[in-house]
Amino acid sequence: MTAAPRFTLYSRSYCHLCEDMLAALQAFMARQGAAYSVDVVDVDADPDLVARYDELVPVLVDEAGLELCHYFLDEAALRRYLGLQTAAA
């Protein structure tokens, strides 16, 4: 059985783009009928994350840290990623 994909959404409080990306990810995965998990991490809680992602948030990454998209959910990139996950498993 293939493990459900795990994502991290680097975000910040009061960021409408961040809220939009999370909602878009949830809707996309629901349409796929796919199990997944997502951890939402506030970049402002960690100076290293601010240094890395400050102007890019929201940023969606996979469990290995591969950046899948930022600012907006890139459904095409997510489809490619999930296809690779399925083929590699």
Side-chain angles (χ1 to χ4, degrees):
M1 173 176 263
T2 303
R6 295 182 54 90
F7 301 105
T8 300
L9 177 62
Y10 291 104
S11 180
R12 59 177 28 115
S13 299
Y14 306 107
C15 169
H16 73 90
L17 290 178
C18 301
E19 293 167 5
D20 291 350
M21 186 182 284
L22 180 58
L25 175 63
Q26 292 168 332
F28 176 87
M29 295 303 283
R31 285 193 310 272
Q32 305 309 309
Y36 71 101
S37 64
V38 60
D39 295 316
V40 179
V41 176
D42 185 349
V43 297
D44 293 324
D46 183 334
D48 291 335
L49 292 176
V50 171
R52 183 170 184 181
Y53 295 119
D54 187 32
E55 295 298 319
L56 294 176
V57 296
V59 180
L60 184 67
V61 301
D62 73 357
E63 61 192 282
L66 173 68
E67 183 180 318
L68 301 172
C69 51
H70 54 87
Y71 303 132
F72 302 98
L73 186 71
D74 182 342
E75 288 192 7
L78 193 52
R79 278 190 195 93
R80 284 191 303 272
Y81 172 77
L82 293 171
L84 290 173
Q85 285 292 98
T86 302

